[in-house]
Amino acid sequence: MILTVTLNAALDLTYRVPHLRPQAEHRVPPAVERPGGKGLNVARVLASLGHETVATGLAGGATGETVRTLLAETTVTDEFVRITGPTRRTVAVVDASAGDTTRLNETGPDVTPAEWAAFDDRYTHLLRDARAVALCGSLPPGVPVGAYAHLVRAARARRIPVLLDTSGEPLRRGIAARPDVVKPNAAELAALTGTTDPLRAAVAARRRGAHAVAASLGPDGMLALTPDGTWRATPPKPLPGNPTGAGDSAVAGLLSGWAEGLAWPERLARAVALSAATVAAPAAGEYDATMYERLLGQVKVSPLSPSGA
Amino acid sequence: MILTVTLNAALDLTYRVPHLRPQAEHRVPPAVERPGGKGLNVARVLASLGHETVATGLAGGATGETVRTLLAETTVTDEFVRITGPTRRTVAVVDASAGDTTRLNETGPDVTPAEWAAFDDRYTHLLRDARAVALCGSLPPGVPVGAYAHLVRAARARRIPVLLDTSGEPLRRGIAARPDVVKPNAAELAALTGTTDPLRAAVAARRRGAHAVAASLGPDGMLALTPDGTWRATPPKPLPGNPTGAGDSAVAGLLSGWAEGLAWPERLARAVALSAATVAAPAAGEYDATMYERLLGQVKVSPLSPSGA
């Protein structure tokens, strides 16, 4: 199975309004509720690609129960550890006229040292059957900032491929533990390395310890620096739509390809096609399966000269 | 006891942001959660005034459970009827720099005929011990639009004073069933009667069937047309603050005064003082008890000439 870790799970609430007017009162239909947090998005995509997928992390309170109830409606296996603090909410208000989204992301629950230790036990246990691991998203208060570094080392010690997708200090610490892949977006890469040129930034990120860097560059596709070579993967054309979850679909593409023994160019083609099919889907964070199949053959994967890297 | 009815209860979520920027992502502390819906606000104020208070209505889903958990932390007795559909949420985003609030109010759950019948049984049972009844707020989908008219008649048949605080068609139907008091605000009164002059509109509303009309006029206080006389009650000065829940505090003031056998002028003084103390309180929907005690003697209640009415 593929294991995904979501330490700061979320109950995602999405509202659609014809026009968001600050200061005004809006009468709206009930929120669309989804299990959220990057790792859970990755898990859903992996499961719909047909992979046996186990999701672990921390969940608590009434919001945590709702997340788990929603997860039970999918084929993802729930191995979350229950905590006392309530799972955070995210609120997205989609403005239909402007075509944009206003977001409120709660920081997350306070996690006790005992809860973090219980998670660590569960994670170690789950690693036994894992063929690949995705560590995704922010850390809730109380979880040590070096948490991802610790989890990366545990997977690496068992020779299980581990992908890290986070930002800020948790990324900085985690990358030093030498994960197999990091998947930053352009902004995260620039924040980590201090340079905005994606190729130079990816080179700098790799020097910090990641075996491979697969950077998602929005409508421009992905750039990957790996032990096997350097590639740029681009979708046939930029697709209009909602980019929510596109990066998580890319992670699912990379990791499923890895678990299936595909080479880097095929992993990248899958990641970029899934990502584009997510942008094009009507619901945020879902992907359009027909479009994914169609795009898969159209993604262009070009080797870059090693001198560039 | 005093009975409050909240057919469309809510889980009120309040976020505070330094500055609400449409289209942007905001990292926010966890929402402040409160049991909401006008009837529950009224119940909380009645309870803090020392009245034995029973809250009934409809509640369902994970959000309904959270509302009931929060209600259990108060002295209000929970007599809600459980339904299948999930209790709605309201989301308030308070912009600290602008001092204003943007609101999203969900419409509410679908209520089945069997659930509505179960509520009617519970309500009839609870009326036995009720000294006064408050029927407050909007109706969720599935509840007949004439629901309040039916509930007014049931209370009136048992000679229990009943106050109705709603809007639109449910108010139009409910008022025809001859409640003891309706408490519209200026906008609701204008929508009901087609006239924006509060006194003329109150006269017209009373002709539609209410024994008394107590209209809340924001910072101008209240205007009451009753079988005992006509009064205007004004606070000593307009208070700055958040008007959320001020109307509900006014309802609690009127109803508690009624249950204690106070005359109309004293009920109005209490309603206006509570309302002003709610606007002045730091948290939305709470009232400042010290300020309430101080304002109570400062509210000016003036009889209006019957010719005006």
Side-chain angles (χ1 to χ4, degrees), chain A residues 171 184-195 197-199 201-202 205 213 215 217 223:
Chain A
L171 172 59
N185 62 28
E188 288 159 354
L189 201 53
L192 178 71
T193 63
T195 169
D197 174 74
L199 185 54
V213 175
L217 306 174
L223 171 70

Side-chain angles (χ1 to χ4, degrees), chain B residues 18 24 26 55 58 79 84 104 107 110 132 162 166 171 188 215 235 250 275 285:
Chain B
H26 307 73
L58 304 166
E79 283 283 356
T84 301
L104 300 171
T107 43
D110 283 313
V162 56
T166 186
L171 172 59
E188 288 159 353
S275 192

